[in-house]
Amino acid sequence: MPRQPRLELPGIPLHVTQRGINKGAIFLDTDDRYHFRGLLRKAFRDHGIALHAFVLMDNHFHLLVTPDAVGALSRAMGWVGQSYVQALNLRHRRCGALWQGRFKSCLVQSERYLLTVMRYIELNPVRAAMVETPQDYRWSSVHTHLGHARDPLITPHPLYLAMGSDRYERAHAYRQWLDAGIAPDDLQRLRAYASQERALGDERFQHMVETTLGRPAACRPRGRPRQASLREPI
């Protein structure tokens, strides 16, 4: 059965994630992470994709991106994934698959959820108990958003830029945003939409996506559909 096209709209951000097969490591050392960053930078530059946030964990990664055109993300990530695996296998004398299927992506309504997704991505190492604070983790965009670095990979999103009149105000406001953490309901919702590759947003945003693309945009409940009783209309 052929795969359905991804839910994509020009100029709408996407939360992207991909894991190693059987939860295995995808980065074996620092050089692997540097090489992966370099591939991302080239592919996103060539395909017109802005990267707003990222984290490179041991066995998966998260990205928040905005492509200029439909299909650009798939082309870019396809090249990155293939190039990275070839280099990894050669360098570490390994063979076989690395990724657990194709990467996942979900549309993100900017006004409602974009900053929440950024915070979710950059707090990932804290939730994994790898570090005490997000800035303690090296392989993340948090250092740019807190004003500690200027990463050439990152294109700041307009909503982040609106958090202050200069980089110091923005860094202070974003630190407070990070420190506030994520509400459990938002965490559950974000994970569900990323897993099912739907459109993370309010009902109006989801209706717009469904009308434009002709496909469901909201998450489906887990489990088998409930069967109607004899008294319920068909």
Side-chain angles (χ1 to χ4, degrees):
M1 184 176 179
R3 295 172 176 170
Q4 282 196 328
R6 296 182 183 277
L7 291 181
E8 289 183 84
L9 291 169
I12 302 296
L14 289 153
H15 175 203
V16 176
T17 184
Q18 191 164 21
R19 297 184 177 275
I21 193 168
N22 295 324
K23 299 182 179 180
I26 59 173
F27 303 113
L28 303 182
D29 57 26
T30 298
D31 286 344
D32 290 341
R33 285 179 163 89
Y34 273 124
H35 183 59
F36 187 78
R37 280 176 48 94
L39 293 173
L40 283 181
R41 187 178 183 188
K42 181 181 187 310
F44 287 1
R45 182 186 63 233
D46 291 348
H47 290 87
I49 300 170
L51 175 64
H52 308 302
F54 75 91
V55 67
L56 307 183
M57 303 294 283
D58 290 339
N59 63 0
H60 69 283
F61 62 82
H62 292 271
L63 312 172
L64 179 61
V65 302
T66 300
D68 286 342
V70 172
L73 181 64
S74 293
R75 292 190 292 273
M77 293 304 298
W79 180 81
V80 169
Q82 183 177 14
S83 300
Y84 179 71
V85 172
Q86 289 176 349
L88 184 81
N89 286 350
L90 180 63
R91 182 166 178 266
H92 295 287
R93 298 182 180 179
R94 67 180 298 277
C95 60
L98 178 69
W99 307 114
Q100 184 174 294
R102 68 174 189 168
F103 71 90
K104 292 182 176 292
S105 65
C106 79
L107 288 167
V108 178
Q109 182 184 17
S110 295
E111 297 80 5
R112 176 66 179 85
Y113 279 105
L114 184 128
L115 291 175
T116 300
V117 173
M118 281 178 55
R119 179 166 60 184
Y120 169 82
I121 288 173
E122 294 176 354
L123 287 177
N124 209 302
V126 177
R127 287 193 303 274
M130 299 173 69
V131 293
E132 292 187 4
T133 66
Q135 56 266 36
D136 292 334
Y137 192 72
R138 180 179 181 182
W139 304 100
S140 162
S141 53
V142 72
H143 307 286
T144 295
H145 293 134
L146 292 179
H148 300 158
R150 292 187 179 181
D151 192 333
L153 267 178
I154 297 299
T155 300
H157 192 274
L159 285 178
Y160 168 78
L161 295 175
M163 297 182 82
S165 60
D166 58 38
R167 59 182 301 214
Y168 303 104
E169 284 189 8
R170 289 190 288 270
H172 177 72
Y174 192 73
R175 181 181 295 276
Q176 292 181 317
W177 175 250
L178 279 180
D179 290 345
I182 302 178
D185 288 348
D186 278 343
L187 186 63
Q188 182 178 7
R189 182 176 175 85
L190 196 152
R191 286 172 170 168
Y193 274 83
S195 176
Q196 293 191 26
E197 300 189 87
R198 297 303 173 101
L200 179 65
D202 59 24
E203 290 184 1
R204 183 177 180 180
F205 177 73
Q206 291 174 345
H207 178 71
M208 179 276 292
V209 173
E210 291 177 351
T211 301
T212 304
L213 299 179
R215 291 170 51 203
C219 269
R220 298 168 294 186
R222 293 187 176 276
R224 298 178 63 181
R226 184 172 62 89
Q227 292 184 349
S229 71
L230 295 177
R231 295 182 180 179
E232 291 177 330
I234 297 176

